[in-house]
Amino acid sequence: MVWIEISKTSEIPIIQQVYVKIREQILLGELHEGERLPSSRELAETLNVSRSVILEAYDQLIAEGYLKSKQGSGTFVESGALLEGFPTFKETFAPVKPFYSITNNKDSLIDFRSGVPCLEMFPRKKWARIAKDVYENIDTSLLGYSSPEGSEELRNTLSNYLYKTRGIKCLSSQIVITSGATQAFTILTNLLLKSGSKVMIEDPVTKEIPEIFMERGASIHPIPVDEYGMKTELLSQERQPSLVFVTPSHQFPLGGTLPIQRRIQLIQFAKKTNSYIVEDDYDSEFRYSGPPVSSIQGLFPDRVIYIGTFSKILSPSLRLGYLVLPNSLVEKVKTLKRYTDYHSPTIEQVILARFIKDGHLEKHIVKMRKLYKIQRDCLIKSLKEEFKERVKVSGTSTGLHLIAEFNNISFSKKILDEIKNNGVNIYPVEKHTLVKGHHNNKLIFGYGNLTEKEIEAGVRRLKKIIV
């Protein structure tokens, strides 16, 4: 039986409240496998809310694997979603808002690079207004040296924001601000790895990630990815890794979302091997149907290290990222951060905190999500029109890129150079693989920093080479 209490005065949206309550009851075993939930109409009447609220919450739970819908029969609890020891986290938070990214390019070379936001749309006036106020009125002490973990104002703001939007369970003391995600990875590598340490990692994966681990002398063990993300059934306890690296909300580059059953499998593996899960969440705010998928950290905060960045949301030039850490690692990471660069730029952190608290980030994300959806749809349409049945498009539900798989072609260096000579920068999936030879016919199309005209022109140029 579903029992839900909601607050219509809470800052947390009602959809999110319904989603969180049902999700918790499933993970705690209060709702059992195969149990039928009330219809959306019944639950809406019981809670005195719009039916669309319940439908959206159910859709989100179905997308994440907690529920399944049987046409004509109803909505039921899916199997494999019980998590022993699932931690509940009840705390009242002060006001906060979300964060996101931007895009646009003016060059004869059309660059489909992924992970670049629309730079033309950076909210310069709002940012400048806040910056002016901060510089004129900031406490003098903030102009001196700061603590390695970062601005207290920003960390408090992030603690609230991440719980509301990503289901992350942390206090501000568990957050360390970094100069981008790369520094976060470097710090973790120096802390947790040594020569011969084992790291299990998605394959394919962002090329630079395994390179950072291997620089420390770690042994990399690739785990294949399918359309749902890491194939967690292939994790081997015999290898006893120090880290397992995943991008569960939006796998890079293939674009899958890791379902709850695999998330639980991953958590159980980390428990048995006493390893840490490193969760890289680089662009999941830009989900085009429903809210962003919840984090693994919210399911298992004691052994998950969460990495976030503002590079994809606002601008790479800000060089602001963050780590959400288990309590046991906080002091060690702060020490390493101090040795790395003492602290990240303080004034920018204060400006960002105010930008979020004043609601600008939330508005920016909504605005950019609409823009990116238009650009994504334009790219899909262009690929289908130019290549028809020769192309299969995937990884389109979230983020700033998609994957195009072409029939009867292997993208060799020669072909890629020819494409570039024709005015298009394009990036093969194979570049990001650890085990070679399985993705030779796939390309990564980033669309965040391109106009519709550039997208259409780029695809036309590409067709001239791929005949």
Side-chain angles (χ1 to χ4, degrees), residues 14-53:
I14 294 176
I15 292 170
Q16 182 72 0
Q17 292 183 53
V18 174
Y19 158 82
V20 167
K21 295 293 185 183
I22 296 176
R23 174 176 173 266
E24 284 189 353
Q25 290 181 44
I26 293 172
L27 289 165
L28 291 168
E30 294 169 2
L31 285 173
H32 305 291
E33 174 182 335
E35 187 169 341
R36 185 182 183 279
L37 271 68
S39 71
S40 57
R41 194 179 304 279
E42 292 170 353
L43 190 53
E45 289 175 356
T46 300
L47 299 178
N48 193 26
V49 298
S50 166
R51 185 186 175 208
S52 63
V53 167

Side-chain angles (χ1 to χ4, degrees), residues 185-216:
F185 281 113
T186 303
I187 289 171
L188 288 180
T189 298
N190 290 333
L191 175 64
L192 299 174
L193 301 180
K194 57 186 178 181
S195 181
S197 294
K198 295 180 178 63
V199 176
M200 291 185 176
I201 190 167
E202 297 172 332
D203 184 24
V205 67
T206 305
K207 180 176 176 287
E208 290 75 18
I209 303 302
E211 291 176 350
I212 293 171
F213 295 150
M214 287 188 286
E215 186 69 25
R216 184 69 172 169

Side-chain angles (χ1 to χ4, degrees), residues 137-153:
N137 299 298
I138 195 170
D139 191 287
T140 305
S141 64
L142 292 176
L143 296 171
Y145 287 105
S146 183
S147 54
E149 64 268 31
S151 155
E152 183 176 0
E153 184 176 356

